[in-house]
Amino acid sequence: MSREELESRKRYEPSEIEPRIVERWLASGIFHPEPEGTAADNYSIAVPPPNVTGSLHMGHALNGSIQDVLVRYHRMRGLRTKWIFGTDHAGIATQTKVEQALAAEGVTRAQLGREAFVGRAWEWRREHGSTIVEQFKRLGASLDYEDERFTLDEAYAAAVTRVFVGLYEKGLIYRDRYLVNWDPGSCSAISDLEVVQEEVDDVLYHVRYDVEGGGEVVVATVRPETILADTAVAVHPGDERYASLVGGTAVIPLVRRSVPVIADEYVRPEFGTGALKITPGHDPNDFDIGRRHGLEEISVIGEDGRMNEVAGQFAGLPALEARERVVAALEAEGRLVAREAYRHEVPVSHRSGERIEPLISLQWFMRMDELASPAIEAVRDGRVRIHPDGQRQVYLDWMENIRPWTLSRQLWWGHQLPVWYRGEETHVGVDPPRGDGWERDPDVLDTWFSSALWPFATLGWPETTPALRAFYPTDVLSTARDILFLWVARMIMMGLEFMGEVPFHDVYVHSVIQAPDGRRMSKSLGTGIDPVDEIERHGADAVRFGLLAMSSTQDVRYSAAKVEQGQQLANKLWNASRFALLGVVEDVDPAPRPETVEDRWILSRVQRAKRMMADCVAEFDFSHAALGLYEFVYGELCDWYLEMVKPRLYDQDADREALSAHLLFVLTETLELAHPVIPFVTEEIWSHLPGERGLLAGRAVEGLEPAWLDDEAEARVGRAIEAVRALRGWRDHVGLQPGETVPARLAAEGYDDTLAHLARFARLELSADGGDPVASVPIPGGAVEILAGGGFDPGAAERRRAERRAGIESEIARSEGKLANQGFTAKAPAQVVEAEREKLARLRSELEAV
RNA sequence: GGGCGGUUAGCUCAGCUGGUCAGAGCGCCUGCCUUACAAGCAGGAGGUCGCUGGUUCGAGCCCAGCACCGCCCACCA
């Protein structure tokens, strides 16, 4: 770009520049490291694989920004860095989308048949799978796009099969008839983690059951249709009202089945009537009670959600309809004692939103306790650190109470179980069985089963590949809280089991971004904000900065202001760079050549900023990283250093070569510092630096240079800054015109090398004499005496003086009181007391000056 | 029911192991088109740090209780 162009572009335009930068990054290959060395030397992160059919949402954008900061930061520290990329086949989500598309054509999945359906799903993936990939690029995420994985790829599928077979052979995976969460929406069993509780208004029916030999017992239920599957009535063992009934026989209404009356601690005597109908076939609690008492397990509702033949006259009816008919029948028999409105929580499928139908089904399960132990240990002993710390305990609690995992799904899109049946025979293996007559289990695995292998299956496991050696274990896993169990815990278990090593050393659990009004961001609520829109509007740097700045260890509301702050930062940096690039002499390379106190000051401040950034990255404190960067660029570089440098830069007699080199050096240091957070604008500016220096993103930078830390320079310039602020405030208060220079005399120590700055910033015409001052402005180390001749309001100046005195006097009083307190001087640390004494002395001298 | 986190300026949030910690950004007010940036610059107003007790020489910061808010987990008809 020509000098003229740089001159004219007073505003940073991300939408023009960013796509071009992405192309340069991708073409350079710096995101794709060769698999060399070991994981101990390298840096890697495995991205939580987005759903292949999905599009970028705020969670992706935040997590992408976080991981990219980590990845870019470490890449720039010279580490071989790989951000493992790929997408997830997302069983239910994708299958649902494809089914919806088919429905629009008037075709059902059944009509199409399995093979054709799966073909359509792959086609769907080809068409839509690149959307989210492009969106990650747009965000600036420096993923290894050249090495993209998909959880249904052949190699990945082989790893999945291998793991399944291995765990089966170990006895951890088994088939069982068990009560599962049946999702009528997807017509599949789902795991406990995919079930959410939702509050609904129900009716609690009180139904009278006869007891053989006379008497009756009234039970309460919200699901009268399951009465048909009752196999017992239970009361609390200590409930005297029913003591005589225990051991007896009750008769189930309508079906006239005789069932035992049992006593079980589970029953709460105070609830309802204190008597509970037991339906092991359709209720998880009852299922457990049933197993405890050896009760019969009867199913009356089938997987199609309709009553089955066992339901007799109600067979074929949808369960809800059957409920009404059962209630009517009970009423006709005079068995309905009462009905009361009842609000309670019921299980609902997280995916389909439909109410879960608990039913007994033949499914594949995985026992988790054995794998959990080492995974608990790994977190306990710190091999895996979970941040923030609160999430650690959540993880441990869950792991310690872990239950079997329902693995099989009655879907078509996914990893089909490596299981074959022939009559009573079952074959589980990597290879199909020999011989005829074998039929493969039609079910597929829970998507999360394959996701659990992500950190090593993406690197070529079970082969011992160079990539596996170079990048496993990964360094950090960054994710939202909602998949801590669903995914993170399972990765730790699988990693330990199959790699013998934890899959990552740190887990960072980031914020959930809520809508600005505090509600959940969701499409259906209309509260969603599309990060891609925001990128188009404000630039990717702005969105990244904003998301990082608003993130914390808890959930946060989306803050458009923070994104705008990011946009302004990018613009500020752009203009500061224009100032530097257009102001320096030609043919000078960036180099530290401090000549003045401010040159040393900024060099030192840059080191502090670097330290801040390093600390923040190490502590996963991205908010402070972003805001600290902003503070440095605005509050130090632009507001002060660039302003201090201007006279020298415009002075043809000054040593502009040294200044140019130094200014460019400060600029490059700033760009390197800022790049992980705002990569685009920094890369763009980098390209305008004189000379050929490659891509900033691929640069290995020096760490903090302790030799450039300069406490003295910081103290001197810091004092000057404080003085300027005091003087500006005074000027404003006394009504001085901003442009007017006032005669003044310095009566303070410590401004030898900042005097010119003081005079220029505060618009003072300093002289050594000039008679009696007409006003005095206290500054650190003394005061500036204002001499006659300035056009200010003496009354205002006097008021200002009085206010200042009053303020100082009250502070003195407070300080004196504190020091007079025996308790304070005796018990507070000597250091604190001493500091207080110094403060008091300073206040007293200030009072004299004002 | 259990657990975790929150309650600080009009809004969104910082405030590390108790002692200049009462802050930032946005918004608001005042003034400036100062040769990098007016999507800028300078200055300013604004908070009894949810409530009540307690510990301490000293408490947004520690303890207890309470009140709201959010999230996670949980099989209560």
Side-chain angles (χ1 to χ4, degrees), chain A residues 160-168 173 364 407 418-419 428 445 449:
Chain A
V160 171
T161 303
R162 178 82 163 241
V163 166
F164 184 93
V165 173
L167 293 170
Y168 172 81
I173 288 180
W364 285 87
L407 291 181
V419 176
V428 175
L445 283 163
F449 187 86

Side-chain angles (χ1 to χ4, degrees), chain A residues 19 124 228 236 258 265 361 406 558 640 681 721 760 774 804:
Chain A
W124 182 273
L228 307 173
H236 190 89
S258 295
E265 297 279 350
S361 174
T406 310
Y558 185 78
W640 297 104
V681 67
I721 288 172
R760 195 164 67 88
V774 294
R804 287 284 303 171

Side-chain angles (χ1 to χ4, degrees), chain A residues 819-833:
Chain A
L819 287 164
N821 182 345
Q822 296 276 336
F824 176 68
T825 48
K827 295 190 180 180
Q831 225 180 336
V832 173
V833 176

Side-chain angles (χ1 to χ4, degrees), chain A residues 43-105:
Chain A
Y43 190 85
S44 62
I45 291 181
V47 76
N51 288 2
V52 67
T53 60
S55 59
L56 200 77
H57 61 236
M58 258 330 149
H60 293 128
L62 171 63
N63 201 193
S65 302
I66 287 169
Q67 293 168 90
D68 200 46
V69 167
L70 292 169
V71 163
R72 285 185 187 268
Y73 179 84
H74 288 95
R75 188 185 291 120
M76 289 181 80
R77 299 313 315 276
L79 295 176
R80 182 180 301 277
T81 299
K82 184 183 179 81
W83 189 2
I84 301 164
F85 184 53
T87 53
D88 193 291
H89 68 280
I92 295 179
T94 306
Q95 174 152 338
T96 304
K97 282 195 180 175
V98 175
E99 279 179 14
Q100 281 165 358
L102 287 176
E105 300 169 19

Side-chain angles (χ1 to χ4, degrees), chain A residues 87-338:
Chain A
T87 53
D88 193 291
H89 68 280
I92 295 179
T94 306
Q95 174 152 338
T96 304
K97 282 195 180 175
V98 175
E99 279 179 14
Q100 281 165 358
L102 287 176
E105 300 169 19
V107 187
T108 67
R109 140 163 97 112
Q111 286 168 340
L112 204 58
R114 181 166 190 150
E115 202 176 322
F117 179 85
V118 170
R120 283 294 294 259
W122 277 102
E123 208 175 293
W124 182 273
R125 186 235 171 188
R126 274 193 296 279
E127 278 173 35
H128 303 277
S130 63
T131 302
I132 196 152
V133 180
E134 294 310 311
Q135 290 172 328
F136 268 104
K137 289 178 185 170
R138 189 67 188 80
L139 181 69
S142 59
L143 288 148
D144 186 355
Y145 299 99
E146 288 177 49
D147 195 19
E148 182 180 341
R149 289 296 133 85
F150 181 50
T151 50
L152 273 183
D153 281 343
E154 208 174 312
Y156 200 104
V160 171
T161 303
R162 178 82 163 241
V163 166
F164 184 93
V165 173
L167 293 170
Y168 172 81
E169 285 168 354
K170 212 174 172 184
L172 298 182
I173 288 180
Y174 58 95
R175 198 182 192 206
D176 192 13
R177 284 186 63 81
Y178 207 84
L179 194 80
V180 299
N181 305 300
W182 185 263
D183 174 14
S186 59
C187 291
S188 174
I190 58 177
S191 76
D192 295 342
L193 289 175
E194 294 163 296
V195 175
V196 293
Q197 301 297 127
E198 266 182 28
E199 220 171 45
V200 298
D201 286 310
D202 255 331
V203 177
L204 189 61
Y205 298 92
H206 289 64
V207 183
R208 184 163 46 80
Y209 288 19
D210 287 333
V211 173
E212 281 182 10
E216 59 181 45
V217 60
V218 176
V219 302
T221 180
V222 292
R223 304 201 58 196
E225 71 278 15
T226 65
I227 286 175
L228 307 173
D230 281 0
T231 56
V233 170
V235 298
H236 190 89
D239 194 336
E240 292 179 5
R241 294 171 296 176
Y242 299 115
S244 63
L245 296 181
V246 175
T249 304
V251 180
I252 305 302
L254 307 179
V255 290
R256 314 246 118 238
R257 180 166 50 244
S258 295
V259 302
V261 178
I262 60 173
D264 194 286
E265 297 279 350
Y266 169 78
V267 182
R268 293 191 316 159
E270 72 282 5
F271 188 92
T273 61
L276 177 62
K277 69 192 265 314
I278 301 298
T279 320
H282 294 292
D283 182 279
N285 304 309
D286 295 6
F287 183 81
D288 290 342
I289 294 170
R291 292 255 158 135
R292 277 203 289 276
H293 292 84
L295 299 176
E296 195 184 348
E297 291 160 4
I298 297 176
S299 297
V300 291
I301 302 168
E303 295 180 349
D304 56 0
R306 290 169 181 272
M307 307 304 284
N308 63 20
E309 62 287 354
V310 181
Q313 53 169 310
F314 305 102
L317 294 174
L320 218 53
E321 217 169 293
R323 176 180 304 176
E324 292 170 25
R325 302 276 286 271
V326 167
V327 169
L330 291 169
E331 202 152 29
E333 284 192 18
R335 300 202 162 271
L336 204 56
V337 178

